[in-house]
Amino acid sequence: MSEIAAATAHEAYAFACMRCGHGWEQAYEIEHHVDGSNNAFVIYKADGERVPSPLSRPSCANCGGHVVRIMRSGRVSTVQQLLHNTRPERPAAQGDEAATAAPADTGHHWHLSDLLHPFHRR
């Protein structure tokens, strides 16, 4: 079967697993093709490897769950950045030099509610 490459599009999506709360983002190259019988089809590639369509049945790399919310790109990284930049500070006691030092990085593990909360419609 011969095929003709029509065009390549670049798309990125954010994903959130509704089972375990894991979030991630992935960029895709979407190759639009036409086969010898003039039937259109697409091939998805992520990091140069052919992958199934992320829109058909995405699965969570963390828990294997298939109930995954798909969002526009940037949502996961925005929330991760917000969580990274908003560490609670200990109130300083008088003469307590340790309390004025920068808080330790605890490697916060975020949850689904953390990811979706800033984007809820009011």
Side-chain angles (χ1 to χ4, degrees):
M1 168 171 65
S2 67
E3 58 184 59
I4 302 166
T8 299
H10 299 274
E11 293 286 337
Y13 301 100
F15 302 89
C17 178
M18 304 303 275
R19 180 176 173 197
C20 73
H22 178 67
W24 69 99
E25 294 191 12
Q26 181 66 55
Y28 297 91
E29 294 174 0
I30 306 166
E31 298 176 356
H32 294 264
H33 296 270
V34 177
D35 67 14
S37 299
N38 207 28
N39 296 313
F41 66 98
V42 295
I43 295 174
Y44 285 84
K45 291 186 177 180
D47 301 321
E49 298 290 324
R50 188 173 178 167
V51 296
S53 166
L55 306 177
S56 60
R57 187 165 162 88
S59 60
C60 177
N62 188 55
C63 74
H66 293 290
V67 181
V68 176
R69 180 171 180 168
I70 304 170
M71 301 166 284
R72 69 174 182 228
S73 67
R75 292 224 168 172
V76 171
S77 59
T78 299
V79 171
Q80 287 175 332
Q81 184 177 15
L82 287 171
L83 291 172
H84 179 74
N85 292 334
T86 57
R87 293 189 190 104
E89 292 186 27
R90 235 179 14 140
Q94 198 167 17
D96 184 5
E97 292 178 22
T100 60
D105 186 358
T106 59
H108 178 77
H109 175 75
W110 55 273
H111 299 280
L112 182 61
S113 60
D114 296 331
L115 176 64
L116 300 177
H117 178 73
F119 306 106
H120 284 257
R121 293 185 181 154
R122 300 190 199 289

